[in-house]
Amino acid sequence: NEEERESFLMGMFNLASQLAPRIATEIDLNERSRLLDLAGGPGTYAIHFCQKNPSLTAVIYDLPTTRSFAEQTVRRFALSDRIAFVAGDIINDEIDSGFDVVWISHLLHSEGPKACAAILAKAAKALNDGGRLLIQEFILDDNKIAPLHPALFSLNMLIGTPSGKAYTQGELFQLVRDAGLRKVNRLPIKLPNGAGIISAIR
């Protein structure tokens, strides 16, 4: 129901707000002008990337039920003139193109490899030539039993979703390369709970 949805989105906003300001400072988007926050929920990262980069505009893409909360949050930060909301389903709907950056935060772990491949193909298509894909995820070691938080989170996804799980760095790199992107690497940004950020270029 609406109350539970708003509570969940507020939780997402509060958790992301602990990291988004630092991440926005450590990732240079000065040369980029248009960002897509894919499945961005309340738009926490879009907000902080725009605050850090005055010439940047953004689109939050998420389910229609997220619109009201996201737009209200954007208004609180006086960014309604720079951040728009577009409603859609990441699996079944098309996504606009023309973006210099696509940001995907803690989305892929909710899906299996086939759906992740479809999402990343759409993300790649949404990018301009030379555009940058950024993915934040809990990343497993190759043995898939460590670090502890990604391993436990993967178990949580196994229980709570049809096919979600945490992925290893190698698996994520391969998914990104299969989407046609290049210069795939993990950024040297230390994040809590075994999280990491993967970067690639179209």
Side-chain angles (χ1 to χ4, degrees):
N1 61 40
E2 188 65 28
E3 184 178 349
E4 291 173 332
R5 184 183 302 113
E6 184 166 325
S7 177
F8 176 77
L9 290 169
M10 181 59 75
M12 288 176 59
F13 175 79
N14 289 337
L15 286 171
S17 293
Q18 298 176 41
L19 292 176
R22 178 160 69 89
I23 289 173
T25 297
E26 295 198 39
I27 298 177
D28 183 8
L29 298 182
N30 283 325
E31 302 300 318
R32 311 290 177 170
S33 61
R34 192 165 181 243
L35 176 142
L36 174 62
D37 191 351
L38 191 58
T44 317
Y45 284 96
I47 289 167
H48 286 280
F49 280 127
C50 283
Q51 285 185 321
K52 181 62 179 175
N53 301 275
S55 63
L56 188 69
T57 64
V59 170
I60 303 164
Y61 185 96
D62 212 314
L63 296 170
T65 50
T66 308
R67 179 189 291 274
S68 176
F69 188 90
E71 291 182 338
Q72 178 184 359
T73 304
V74 170
R75 282 196 300 272
R76 284 174 48 205
F77 286 84
L79 287 168
S80 297
D81 59 331
R82 293 172 55 200
I83 301 177
F85 184 94
V86 173
D89 183 303
I90 56 171
I91 301 296
N92 299 311
D93 296 334
E94 292 300 314
I95 299 171
D96 287 341
S97 59
F99 294 95
D100 301 303
V101 184
V102 173
W103 169 259
I104 303 176
S105 180
H106 293 305
L107 167 65
L108 299 183
H109 60 233
S110 63
E111 304 291 345
K114 184 176 180 180
C116 287
I119 292 168
L120 292 175
K122 290 183 179 182
K125 187 178 178 181
L127 283 167
N128 295 321
D129 289 340
R132 189 177 188 187
L133 174 67
L134 295 164
I135 302 169
Q136 179 176 212
E137 274 294 339
F138 299 123
I139 301 177
L140 284 167
D141 293 343
D142 289 340
N143 61 19
K144 299 188 178 183
I145 60 172
L148 180 60
H149 185 89
L152 292 176
F153 197 86
S154 191
L155 177 61
N156 183 57
M157 291 295 99
L158 173 67
I159 295 169
T161 69
S163 55
K165 62 175 184 175
Y167 292 89
T168 67
Q169 178 173 295
E171 289 172 328
L172 290 169
F173 277 22
Q174 191 60 54
L175 283 165
V176 172
R177 292 191 183 103
D178 289 345
L181 301 177
R182 57 193 175 85
K183 295 185 178 180
V184 185
N185 66 95
R186 184 170 177 174
L187 300 182
I189 300 175
K190 292 186 178 181
L191 299 173
N193 299 321
I197 297 175
I198 291 170
S199 173
I201 302 295
R202 174 171 169 175

